[in-house]
Amino acid sequence: MAHQAEMHLRYTIPAPTVNDGDFSRQNNRPLAGWEKWSLPLGNSYFGISVFGRIETERLQITENSVSNPGIHGTHWKEGMGGTRTFGDIYIDTFHKDVENYSRGLSVDRATAYVSYEIDGITYHREYFTSYPDRILAVHFTAEKNGVPVTGKISLDCRLDIPFIKDYCIKEGDGYGRTGTVFAQNDRLIMRGESTYYAIQTEGQAKIKNKGGTVLVKDHAIEVRNANEAVLLFTCGTNYRMESRVFTENDPKKKLAPYPAPHKKLTEILNAAYEKDYSSLYATHLSDYEKLYKAVTLDIGYDENDLSVTTDRLLQNYKEGKRSAYLETLLYQYGRYLLIASSRKGGYPANLQGTWTCYDSSPWGCDYHHNINVQMNYWPSGIANLSECFLPYIDYAEAYISSARTLADDYIKTLYPEHLSPDGENGWFMGTAAFLYYIGKAELHSGPGTGGFTSLLFWDYYAFTGDKEYLRKIGYPFLREMSLFLSKVLVETDGKLLVRNSASPEQQMQDGTYYQTVGCAFDQQMIYENHKCVLLAADALGIENDPVLDIVRSQIDRLDPVQIGLDGQIKEFREEGHYGEIGEYEHRHISHLVGLYPATLINKNTPEWLKGAEVTLTKRSDQSTGWAAAHRLCAWARTGIGNRAFNLYQSILKNNTLPNLWGTHPPFQIDGNFGAVAGVSEMLLQSQAGFIDFLAAIPDVWENGSFDGLVARGNFVCGCDWKDRKITQMRITARIGGNCRIRYENIVNAKINGMYTVISANEIELNTTQNETVQIDFHL
């Protein structure tokens, strides 16, 4: 069984104050304090960035519905609109000269902390954001020699709404905000409006004390001489994730029917105030651990690394000193970030998860659909976090009406001969999307973007086996996407090809996006969506759907993979040698989506798999954060563990900041999530019709174990290995059913369950619900 070390980020200095108040991105200055050094907490409703400062602590708040329209075609340094910071909590402690300072983030407990000494007294702050209670809690205590001391907690808590002005990027754009902070009875309130969409914003803070006094003034809550204190905070807006928000064209009317958040927030804060701190913390921890503890990983580690600060550990790694502990930490930190930024009832994770400090964010901090949002949810199934995908389902159900309109417009404009007279043309979306609207198609990405998105809905079913979901949500989404995609195909030389096709963001030397017919990205995504809709229909026993007849007539004529003169997977049909068209080392590897995240290219298609290796080698390993993560996932699918591990090392060395956030640059969270998916795929794969343990294990992970990774069919898997040879497999069938396992000479292993022998290297387990099968190998 996997024994995992304590997962912990630790530092001996607070986050610096470099350009602390300048988050406009209309300049080219580094945002060191927030981007590189703050520590993230989140509950999907809002995010908190903890700076860990001494005299004046700063807690920066993000609430993803506080947003402006994105501005496209503009370089991010000039501002991109989109998601904007909610505000800040400042805590004046009146402490200056301290000793033995430390701060950190326990990934195991989703808890941040600050600790230091003054005159022999140790002051502690403990921070967490609770998903069940929808609050931030900060606990202030003091002790001497392990014994609580009385009367030592004094502080002022202030709230601040930054960037109050009537414009955001340029004067008169309507992107401004208003706001004020005031006292109301026992709490401090920050209230305002983000004016473009008339978003009503509110945050409430309240402090609970033991001993001493608490006084609520106009602009601060004052605590004096308390034995301990607990700051409670919550925030929200009048946003609702509903269809009418997307279909309403007047920005001022999108949220008009919805009430201000004051009443709801007051109830939330009051309920939390009635509980003691230990109860709030226990509820938080129990909820978090249900998800986080589902997966454990042990690839060995040096005990000494547990006491090294995270920034030093990372710097050592960049200088060539490998740390298995850091490799494990980045993996589990990525799982933590997904839990923190995507839970049912909250918002889905965007380009920066649930954290942004900007008034005008890079790329609008949007939901980018030509790989980035998809990458956010790649680890959800395999890394045992399927629940974290639920907010995206809610988001999709809200935007689907708009997506159907986009499909109508797309077909009417580009394929009028295929326009359905009854108005049913499926659904579609372009790359950019927000909580208020979804964007149209762009020249840089073809219609395969829609299939790239709908594949998420199949994967959720593939890993959970939830047929009720498949019937109500998964199949309808897949079906309508196949209907749309069936209309963008035209017959060409006996094949069915996308007429208006583009491989995402691939440019020519003159800077123009390359437009073509039937590029690999579009053809592979249409093939995969068509395949998944047929599988879904079969799982549900659906036979007489006319869309299925169309899909069956098209799927074998899509020609999704072609091999070029260099043995490469061709990105474009007209390509001969690799790199003849477009950027040779382009960040996107869109012609390999059939390898990952799709399943078209696998160990059952050896020629294509070899072509993928050629393409990956020529494309190079060096890239932006998320692009390196996609390469990691792709190399894992080839089964070449050492190449996959090289990419994981590259991510740590080149694409990871001191607080372990991934960087494009700037910070983008998809790199973190893609790294989790890639490592998971190195350890377990199931895309080729069988479970493949240690599918791409590198030489350096010679001994180890894992538990909790999920194979398709909802089989929860664990594994121990020594000298890169498996000693034990564990398979728990959450819903029962048959699954195949392929491993060298598995037929001679000790198997404590019912099975059928397929070959010396492959068996099929026949399981009942919740049955665990153990397979032992004698080395």
Side-chain angles (χ1 to χ4, degrees):
M1 301 291 285
H3 172 72
Q4 181 175 281
E6 176 189 12
M7 295 289 101
H8 200 125
L9 282 71
R10 62 182 78 242
Y11 306 86
T12 55
I13 56 172
T17 58
V18 177
N19 296 313
D20 205 30
D22 190 355
F23 311 119
S24 65
R25 273 292 180 186
Q26 270 106 304
N27 56 64
N28 195 22
R29 299 173 184 171
L31 296 171
W34 177 80
E35 184 175 62
K36 296 180 180 178
W37 295 95
S38 70
L39 297 176
L41 299 171
N43 59 14
S44 188
Y45 296 107
F46 58 85
I48 299 290
S49 296
V50 181
F51 287 67
R53 293 180 180 150
I54 299 167
E55 185 173 5
T56 299
E57 170 65 295
R58 179 185 177 200
L59 305 176
Q60 186 267 326
I61 313 156
T62 304
E63 206 277 7
N64 279 345
S65 71
V66 184
S67 179
N68 280 316
I71 299 176
H72 307 296
T74 305
H75 196 270
W76 62 263
K77 289 176 183 176
E78 299 171 2
M80 291 290 285
T83 312
R84 62 198 316 194
T85 180
F86 187 92
D88 295 274
I89 303 170
Y90 291 102
I91 302 166
D92 301 315
T93 66
F94 317 114
H95 296 158
K96 291 185 179 180
D97 299 321
V98 306
E99 298 178 308
N100 298 321
Y101 174 92
S102 66
R103 69 181 177 104
L105 173 68
S106 169
V107 177
D108 295 334
R109 295 182 290 278
T111 305
Y113 70 89
V114 170
S115 178
Y116 51 79
E117 292 181 13
I118 302 176
D119 297 330
I121 295 174
T122 302
Y123 292 85
H124 296 285
R125 302 180 217 149
E126 187 173 63
Y127 317 66
F128 68 89
T129 49
S130 170
Y131 170 69
D133 287 303
R134 279 188 68 166
I135 51 94
L136 160 73
V138 186
H139 190 205
F140 302 85
T141 58
E143 64 177 29
K144 187 170 186 177
N145 299 323
V147 178
V149 295
T150 59
K152 290 296 183 180
I153 304 300
S154 295
L155 59 90
D156 287 353
C157 173
R158 299 177 284 113
L159 305 181
D160 180 64
I161 305 172
F163 310 113
I164 295 177
K165 55 187 178 183
D166 61 6
Y167 66 94
C168 176
I169 297 173
K170 60 182 180 179
E171 191 165 358
D173 63 14
Y175 285 13
R177 74 191 309 169
T178 64
T180 184
V181 176
F182 59 93
Q184 189 175 87
N185 301 321
D186 59 354
R187 69 199 65 202
L188 203 60
I189 294 177
M190 55 195 308
R191 181 181 295 167
E193 181 178 279
S194 185
T195 53
Y196 189 88
Y197 290 123
I199 307 164
Q200 298 180 55
T201 66
E202 182 165 314
Q204 296 187 13
K206 194 172 178 179
I207 293 183
K208 192 173 187 175
N209 64 306
K210 288 186 179 180
T213 62
V214 173
L215 182 63
V216 181
K217 293 189 173 181
D218 284 344
H219 298 291
I221 303 176
E222 295 181 354
V223 179
R224 297 293 181 268
N225 305 317
N227 303 333
E228 62 179 276
V230 179
L231 166 65
L232 299 173
F233 174 83
T234 191
C235 66
T237 73
N238 59 330
Y239 178 85
R240 291 188 183 176
M241 202 180 294
E242 295 181 358
S243 176
R244 62 163 308 281
V245 173
F246 292 84
T247 57
E248 172 59 63
N249 292 322
D250 186 338
K252 295 294 189 289
K253 293 181 179 178
K254 285 181 178 288
L255 305 185
Y258 307 134
H262 176 75
K263 182 175 183 292
K264 185 174 184 178
L265 296 175
T266 300
E267 292 171 351
I268 290 170
L269 200 61
N270 286 348
Y273 190 84
E274 292 302 312
K275 304 174 184 179
D276 59 32
Y277 179 78
S278 61
S279 175
L280 288 169
Y281 189 79
T283 300
H284 153 72
L285 192 60
S286 175
D287 168 75
Y288 173 70
E289 287 184 340
K290 283 187 300 183
L291 293 173
Y292 174 74
K293 283 191 170 182
V295 172
T296 53
L297 174 63
D298 178 7
I299 52 173
Y301 57 91
D302 184 338
E303 288 280 356
N304 295 323
D305 284 352
L306 274 69
S307 59
V308 178
T309 61
T310 305
D311 54 312
R312 184 69 259 171
L313 208 58
L314 183 63
Q315 186 59 38
N316 290 345
Y317 201 95
K318 294 181 179 191
E319 294 171 359
K321 184 181 179 182
R322 180 181 164 250
S323 168
Y325 175 75
L326 183 61
E327 291 162 9
T328 309
L329 178 59
L330 185 68
Y331 176 80
Q332 290 290 25
Y333 181 63
R335 293 183 68 249
Y336 159 78
L337 292 173
L338 186 55
I339 297 168
S341 57
S342 189
R343 300 289 301 275
K344 177 70 174 176
Y347 303 111
N350 62 27
L351 275 176
Q352 293 182 321
T354 189
W355 301 277
T356 187
C357 67
Y358 306 99
D359 192 32
S360 176
S361 296
W363 295 281
C365 195
D366 72 345
Y367 295 92
H368 229 61
H369 279 78
N370 68 356
I371 191 172
N372 311 90
V373 163
Q374 290 87 343
M375 186 177 289
N376 282 2
Y377 291 104
W378 285 350
S380 61
I382 191 172
N384 218 331
L385 294 174
S386 288
E387 178 182 316
C388 292
F389 182 60
L390 298 179
Y392 188 86
I393 294 175
D394 292 340
Y395 177 52
E397 289 186 303
Y399 72 55
I400 189 65
S401 291
S402 288
R404 289 176 181 135
T405 300
L406 288 181
D408 293 342
D409 294 342
Y410 190 94
I411 301 301
K412 182 185 293 185
T413 302
L414 297 177
Y415 301 86
E417 70 276 19
H418 294 163
L419 186 69
S420 174
D422 60 11
E424 289 194 14
N425 295 292
W427 66 279
F428 172 72
M429 65 190 315
T431 298
F434 295 84
L435 289 175
Y436 295 86
Y437 67 94
I438 58 175
K440 299 178 180 179
E442 293 90 352
L443 292 175
H444 60 58
S445 298
T449 304
F452 206 6
T453 303
S454 64
L455 181 57
L456 294 170
F457 298 102
W458 170 255
D459 282 346
Y460 179 82
Y461 169 74
F463 283 99
T464 65
D466 185 345
K467 285 195 176 180
E468 186 66 15
Y469 152 83
L470 187 64
R471 186 179 306 279
K472 292 182 177 179
I473 299 171
Y475 179 74
F477 269 94
L478 289 162
R479 176 191 178 277
E480 285 195 52
M481 180 53 65
S482 271
L483 177 61
F484 166 75
L485 294 173
S486 72
K487 296 173 180 291
V488 304
L489 299 168
V490 294
E491 187 161 348
T492 307
D493 298 328
K495 307 296 183 183
L496 291 175
L497 305 178
V498 177
R499 186 171 62 204
N500 301 86
S501 186
S503 192
E505 301 183 27
Q506 185 60 279
Q507 293 177 297
M508 302 304 288
Q509 289 186 343
D510 63 2
T512 59
Y513 293 116
Y514 186 69
Q515 303 288 309
T516 186
V517 173
C519 77
F521 170 74
D522 287 326
Q523 298 299 129
Q524 288 175 20
M525 286 295 88
I526 296 175
Y527 182 94
E528 195 73 16
N529 197 89
H530 275 14
K531 180 185 74 175
C532 290
V533 81
L534 292 176
L535 290 171
D538 184 62
L540 296 171
I542 298 172
E543 297 180 357
N544 298 319
D545 184 337
V547 173
L548 297 179
D549 295 334
I550 297 171
V551 169
R552 293 186 188 107
S553 71
Q554 291 183 344
I555 191 167
D556 292 332
R557 301 175 65 196
L558 292 172
D559 198 25
V561 179
Q562 289 191 317
I563 302 296
L565 296 176
D566 298 321
Q568 83 279 17
I569 301 289
K570 293 168 66 170
E571 188 164 6
F572 306 102
R573 302 182 71 81
E574 58 273 33
E575 170 188 326
H577 292 285
Y578 174 87
E580 286 182 348
I581 302 170
E583 192 176 342
Y584 197 94
E585 295 183 345
H586 192 56
R587 58 194 176 277
H588 283 269
I589 50 171
S590 302
H591 44 321
L592 297 183
V593 290
L595 173 66
Y596 190 92
T599 64
L600 171 64
I601 303 169
N602 59 59
K603 290 183 178 180
N604 299 320
T605 60
E607 183 187 6
W608 291 354
L609 200 60
K610 183 62 179 176
E613 293 176 29
V614 172
T615 300
L616 285 166
T617 300
K618 290 182 176 294
R619 205 67 150 193
S620 87
D621 290 350
Q622 298 299 316
S623 197
T624 61
W626 62 263
H630 193 188
R631 285 159 168 77
L632 162 62
C633 294
W635 273 116
R637 284 282 175 91
T638 69
I640 305 176
N642 288 337
R643 288 303 307 266
F645 180 70
N646 287 347
L647 261 298
Y648 195 49
Q649 285 196 304
S650 177
I651 289 169
L652 276 162
K653 291 178 179 180
N654 303 308
N655 306 113
T656 301
L657 298 168
N659 61 0
L660 299 191
W661 267 346
T663 180
H664 178 80
F667 157 55
Q668 276 185 205
I669 206 163
D670 40 25
N672 290 102
F673 296 150
V676 174
V679 170
S680 300
E681 292 281 338
M682 293 167 72
L683 299 170
L684 186 79
Q685 293 179 25
S686 60
Q687 74 281 358
F690 57 89
I691 300 177
D692 193 358
F693 285 85
L694 304 190
I697 195 75
D699 291 341
V700 293
W701 294 352
E702 186 177 15
N703 304 307
S705 60
F706 70 80
D707 275 294
L709 295 181
V710 182
R712 288 164 178 80
N714 210 346
F715 294 96
V716 183
C717 300
C719 178
D720 303 332
W721 69 93
K722 184 178 181 180
D723 298 327
R724 300 181 75 245
K725 297 290 186 181
I726 294 176
T727 58
Q728 186 182 91
M729 298 174 178
R730 297 172 289 278
I731 305 99
T732 298
R734 278 180 172 153
I735 61 174
N738 295 347
C739 70
R740 292 195 176 193
I741 302 174
R742 186 179 295 179
Y743 189 71
E744 183 179 0
N745 209 25
I746 194 172
V747 72
N748 289 327
K750 181 182 177 182
I751 306 169
N752 74 337
M754 299 294 294
Y755 66 96
T756 302
V757 175
I758 306 301
S759 71
N761 299 327
E762 188 169 343
I763 63 170
E764 182 168 284
L765 297 180
N766 188 326
T767 66
T768 58
Q769 186 174 12
N770 295 323
E771 178 185 0
T772 297
V773 176
Q774 184 172 300
I775 303 175
D776 291 292
F777 297 82
H778 302 288
L779 301 182

